[in-house]
Amino acid sequence: MKREFSNEQIRTKKTHEFIPQNTDTIIERKIVRYLIQHWKGKLSLAKSFWINFVLFSILLTVQIAFYYAIIKICVISLSLPNLISTTFSYLLMLIALIIYVWQITGIWRCCLNYMKLGKKFQALIVMVIIELFVLLSIFTIISKYKITNAKIDKEKNYKYSITIVDNATKIHLVGDIKKGLSKNIKNTLKSNSNITGIIIDSYGGSGLEGYKLAKLIENNNLNTYVSSICESAGTIAFIAGKERYIDINAKIGFHYAYSVLDYPEVYNLTRWDIFPFKKTKNKTDEYQLQHISKYGITKDFIKKLRDHKSLDLLYPSTDELLNSGYIHGIKDIASISDIGVKYKNRIKANELNIKAMQLDRDGNQEEAIRLVSKVIELVDDKANLYFNRAVYNKKIKQYEPMILDLTKALELCDESDDFDIKLFIRILDFRNYAYFNLEQYDKALEDMNAIIKMDTLHATYYHKRGYVYAFLDSFSLAVKDFSKAISMDSTRAYYYFGSAVNYYFMKKYTKSLEDANNCLKCDDDDSNFIIYFVRGKTLFELQKFQEASQDLEKYISFEQDDNPPYLMLAAINYKLKNYKQAEIYFTKANSLKNNDIDVKWDEDDYEWNSTLLKSILEEWGKL
């Protein structure tokens, strides 16, 4: 009987014949052997570099880009969670990293083997190329990390709210288009079956999320509405509505659709941060225009949007929106929700505020104050309005109502969730001015102390506090603040001026003279001409009568109606024994309307006594 061999038997003892193995198994073994040989550096350098590195890298890049594009399309079209695309992206990155390590390690070992064989030239060239490639890869990873973080930081402050309005038939979206919004809208639709539309009031946000929301709106046959404003990414979602309506006061705003590669500065990045991702053509804007055009928008309107190559917003008129097919009509959308009513009030308030500003420019502050008072009744954000009304009161020197408005503005700033420290400091600064003019110097000092506690970088605040100290007769503290201001900015004439005056009152005449000289060095156009009077008095105290006389004459050439300089010139001429000239100056001083110094000219006794000097200094304090 003939013996039969089983299929599992590989060979017999007699014939030593081999039974053919599976072809797939042979190929798999060859691939594994090839991968191991490259890893150990046993392949030729040409094969390791050109095939395993260059060709594999090109194929890998193309394949990863293809898979990433597929998953991105699926995420948008099927409204899949962002977690899917994120997970897939990380998986692709892991695969790429494994292949990358395999490539680099194999080539490097191959180069080392070649060097052992004395083929150093080829090996060194390839090693240099690999080193540069590794450095570029590290730079690319760092750039990608920066770009990703910049996007996250930009979206971190995005906020939105979703409410059900109009007898539970509409969703009202207010705020930013941010990651996760479409998922929340989808859940809202599931739990509210009577919803037929969505009101989108948004300044924009994430473009990707805008497309996902658009797909959701389209799949659920929702109408879209705008009660106030819809801009940027908000327009991507709005256009997907079955029917599209806006309020008579609503605005639709478009801008050039950009990515981080177009305007890195928007994301606080530099051109070097995006260098590895060199941009050749902006596909973001074209993709958005294709998205809009598929909803039956006219070609002329699409062309207008395509030609608008700017981040500045383009607001087409209502007629343009209607004629282009972008909207189907106008409806009273604002009355549907409280937010819409507030927006209507804000539009009216804005119109009144513009009129108030024009009245202020025309010098009619009383009417401007009346209009701003109406505006305050219409809107919630009142801190700026109280501040504006205070500014108008300042111009007509109504300091008490000015203080009331500024105090209210400070309270509102303090209560605000979004505390504006710059506005807070500015309000304090204006209230300090009002207190100062009402001679409430203690309260003015409190405001200046509060300002400097929050802002130590601006010399002007030390300068202003210095004057408050001066009027509280705290001359040494005043000098300290003026010196601080000068140390921060030595180009301001009025800082030296304040210091010179206070040194004079402290009877430190040499220091007063030094700062007066510095003041005049900074003041080339003599705009701060009163410093001649200060320096003239200082020189008089230092017994430099001739120089003092020159400064006082200079001051009189600018200001001829003040009697103190004439009295001082009379005294100086007496000291210099120019008695006739002294009498002329004294007569001139007594003839001036603002003369309230009680002195008498005694032809037998021209002595310049301390009582007269004190009177002149008191008169100086009123200037």
Side-chain angles (χ1 to χ4, degrees):
M1 185 174 179
K2 190 176 180 180
R3 186 177 177 183
E4 294 181 359
F5 294 95
S6 64
N7 291 333
E8 290 80 12
Q9 193 170 359
I10 297 177
R11 61 189 175 91
T12 62
K13 291 181 180 179
K14 291 182 179 179
T15 62
H16 297 282
E17 293 176 347
F18 287 87
I19 296 176
Q21 298 180 38
N22 189 292
T23 306
D24 292 340
T25 304
I26 295 172
I27 293 172
E28 287 171 5
R29 287 181 178 178
K30 285 185 176 180
I31 291 172
V32 170
R33 190 182 301 116
Y34 183 86
L35 294 175
I36 293 172
Q37 282 182 323
H38 173 80
W39 175 258
K40 292 181 177 180
K42 293 183 177 179
L43 297 175
S44 68
L45 188 56
K47 189 178 288 186
S48 293
F49 180 75
W50 291 109
I51 296 177
N52 296 348
F53 179 67
V54 177
L55 183 61
F56 273 31
S57 295
I58 294 170
L59 293 175
L60 182 65
T61 302
V62 171
Q63 199 164 13
I64 287 176
F66 173 75
Y67 284 132
Y68 186 76
I70 292 295
I71 195 65
K72 194 171 183 180
I73 292 169
C74 291
V75 166
I76 294 173
S77 59
L78 302 176
S79 296
L80 298 175
N82 287 322
L83 181 63
I84 292 177
S85 63
T86 304
T87 304
F88 189 79
S89 297
Y90 282 125
L91 182 61
L92 286 177
M93 286 170 61
L94 180 61
I95 293 170
L97 180 62
I98 292 170
I99 295 173
Y100 178 77
V101 171
W102 172 78
Q103 288 176 306
I104 300 300
T105 304
I107 294 173
W108 197 261
R109 286 174 175 172
C110 183
C111 288
L112 293 175
N113 290 335
Y114 263 60
M115 291 181 77
K116 289 177 183 178
L117 296 172
K119 301 177 181 180
K120 293 183 179 181
F121 181 72
Q122 302 100 308
L124 284 172
I125 291 175
V126 172
M127 290 174 89
V128 169
I129 293 171
I130 296 301
E131 285 174 349
L132 291 173
F133 179 78
V134 170
L135 289 173
L136 180 61
S137 299
I138 293 170
F139 186 50
T140 303
I141 292 168
I142 293 171
S143 296
K144 183 66 177 176
Y145 175 78
K146 284 185 177 181
I147 291 170
T148 304
N149 273 3
K151 289 179 179 178
I152 293 170
D153 288 342
K154 193 170 186 290
E155 295 183 15
K156 196 179 289 180
N157 297 322
Y158 285 176
K159 294 178 182 178
Y160 66 84
S161 65
I162 299 171
T163 52
I164 307 299
V165 296
D166 200 19
N167 298 319
T169 60
K170 293 180 180 65
I171 294 172
H172 192 178
L173 165 65
V174 179
D176 303 301
I177 310 293
K178 72 176 292 187
K179 187 177 178 179
L181 170 64
S182 55
K183 182 180 179 181
N184 288 337
I185 296 287
K186 187 175 183 179
N187 292 335
T188 304
L189 288 170
K190 283 181 180 179
S191 56
N192 296 273
S193 57
N194 294 326
I195 289 175
T196 59
I198 177 170
I199 304 170
I200 303 173
D201 289 322
S202 172
Y203 288 106
S206 166
L208 177 60
E209 197 66 29
Y211 288 115
K212 291 171 72 173
L213 182 57
K215 194 66 180 178
L216 188 64
I217 290 169
E218 187 177 334
N219 290 342
N220 287 274
N221 293 316
L222 298 178
N223 297 327
T224 50
Y225 309 88
V226 177
S227 69
S228 58
I229 197 159
C230 183
E231 296 173 347
S232 190
T235 63
I236 296 172
F238 174 79
I239 191 64
K242 182 180 178 182
E243 293 182 13
R244 302 178 291 275
Y245 300 95
I246 65 172
D247 191 87
I248 188 66
N249 295 311
K251 290 183 178 180
I252 306 287
F254 304 88
H255 65 69
Y256 179 73
Y258 63 91
S259 69
V260 66
L261 301 182
D262 298 300
Y263 292 96
E265 58 273 14
V266 174
Y267 296 84
N268 295 320
L269 295 173
T270 66
R271 292 287 170 182
W272 278 107
D273 291 328
I274 64 165
F275 176 75
F277 306 96
K278 186 177 178 182
K279 172 185 163 295
T280 54
K281 183 181 179 183
N282 186 350
K283 298 180 181 179
T284 311
D285 190 59
E286 198 58 39
Y287 184 82
Q288 180 173 313
L289 293 173
Q290 289 174 9
H291 168 75
I292 293 172
S293 62
K294 74 179 183 180
Y295 292 99
I297 311 304
T298 62
K299 290 182 179 179
D300 288 342
F301 190 77
I302 296 295
K303 184 180 183 302
K304 183 173 183 176
L305 297 183
R306 181 177 280 113
D307 293 342
H308 184 70
K309 304 292 186 183
S310 172
L311 292 187
D312 295 332
L313 286 159
L314 170 70
Y315 295 101
S317 67
T318 304
D319 288 340
E320 283 181 294
L321 293 170
L322 281 167
N323 294 334
S324 67
Y326 195 85
I327 62 173
H328 295 110
I330 307 297
K331 287 188 176 182
D332 184 13
I333 312 299
S335 301
I336 293 175
S337 68
D338 292 338
I339 295 169
V341 172
K342 287 180 180 178
Y343 180 72
K344 261 188 173 179
N345 289 340
R346 184 167 287 280
I347 290 174
K348 185 178 179 182
N350 188 49
E351 291 173 355
L352 291 173
N353 208 26
I354 291 171
K355 288 180 181 178
M357 288 189 286
Q358 185 58 52
L359 287 166
D360 172 53
R361 285 192 288 269
D362 295 340
N364 191 350
Q365 277 76 37
E366 289 86 355
E367 185 62 20
I369 289 168
R370 189 185 68 80
L371 287 183
V372 173
S373 300
K374 283 187 176 182
V375 173
I376 289 172
E377 295 172 4
L378 290 171
V379 297
D380 293 330
D381 182 19
K382 299 178 180 180
N384 272 303
L385 295 171
Y386 280 110
F387 176 72
N388 288 347
R389 192 165 68 178
V391 172
Y392 300 151
N393 273 309
K394 178 191 174 203
K395 292 181 179 180
I396 55 175
K397 299 183 179 180
Q398 295 296 310
Y399 300 121
E400 289 181 354
M402 181 180 170
I403 288 171
L404 290 174
D405 277 348
L406 293 171
T407 302
K408 183 65 178 177
L410 288 171
E411 290 173 3
L412 292 171
C413 276
D414 210 25
E415 293 168 2
S416 174
D417 293 332
D418 187 18
F419 181 73
D420 187 344
I421 190 169
K422 289 183 179 179
L423 176 62
F424 194 82
I425 288 173
R426 198 173 178 206
I427 294 169
L428 280 172
D429 191 20
F430 269 71
R431 193 172 69 170
N432 152 68
Y433 177 87
Y435 280 138
F436 190 90
N437 280 276
L438 290 173
E439 298 183 9
Q440 298 178 24
Y441 303 124
D442 289 331
K443 290 183 177 179
L445 182 60
E446 287 179 12
D447 281 352
M448 289 313 305
N449 286 337
I451 289 173
I452 290 174
K453 190 175 181 180
M454 289 183 283
D455 186 349
T456 60
L457 301 177
H458 287 84
T460 185
Y461 297 135
Y462 290 98
H463 163 249
K464 290 179 180 181
R465 190 173 69 175
Y467 274 110
V468 178
Y469 277 133
F471 277 82
L472 288 169
D473 294 334
S474 299
F475 303 126
S476 59
L477 291 174
V479 164
K480 186 178 179 181
D481 269 357
F482 285 122
S483 298
K484 176 70 174 177
I486 291 168
S487 70
M488 296 171 74
D489 185 354
S490 60
T491 64
R492 304 290 180 180
Y494 45 87
Y495 295 172
Y496 289 107
F497 175 83
S499 183
V501 171
N502 281 274
Y503 272 130
Y504 178 88
F505 286 126
M506 293 170 70
K507 298 184 179 180
K508 295 184 177 182
Y509 302 121
T510 304
K511 285 186 173 292
S512 178
L513 180 61
E514 182 183 339
D515 279 338
N517 290 335
N518 286 327
C519 175
L520 287 166
K521 286 179 184 177
C522 297
D523 189 23
D524 295 333
D525 59 355
D526 288 328
S527 58
N528 201 26
F529 61 85
I530 201 169
I531 191 63
Y532 289 109
F533 183 33
V534 177
R535 192 170 71 172
K537 294 197 305 176
T538 303
L539 289 166
F540 179 86
E541 293 295 344
L542 292 170
Q543 303 292 305
K544 297 181 179 181
F545 300 121
Q546 196 67 48
E547 294 175 58
S549 179
Q550 291 173 3
D551 272 356
L552 292 169
E553 290 282 4
K554 182 80 171 177
Y555 173 72
I556 288 171
S557 69
F558 291 104
E559 181 60 69
Q560 299 176 0
D561 296 329
D562 281 340
N563 55 13
Y566 289 104
L567 288 169
M568 293 190 75
L569 282 167
I572 289 170
N573 277 276
Y574 171 73
K575 293 284 187 181
L576 297 173
K577 298 183 179 181
N578 298 326
Y579 302 123
K580 189 65 179 176
Q581 190 65 34
E583 186 174 356
I584 292 171
Y585 280 126
F586 189 87
T587 304
K588 175 66 176 177
N590 280 331
S591 70
L592 293 174
K593 293 180 180 179
N594 67 340
N595 179 26
D596 56 359
I597 298 178
D598 186 19
V599 292
K600 293 181 179 179
W601 186 261
D602 189 340
E603 293 185 0
D604 296 326
D605 185 6
Y606 294 116
E607 184 179 357
W608 183 265
N609 56 47
S610 59
T611 304
L612 181 56
L613 179 58
K614 183 179 178 183
S615 299
I616 293 172
L617 291 180
E618 287 175 354
E619 178 68 15
W620 157 247
K622 296 175 183 177
L623 295 177

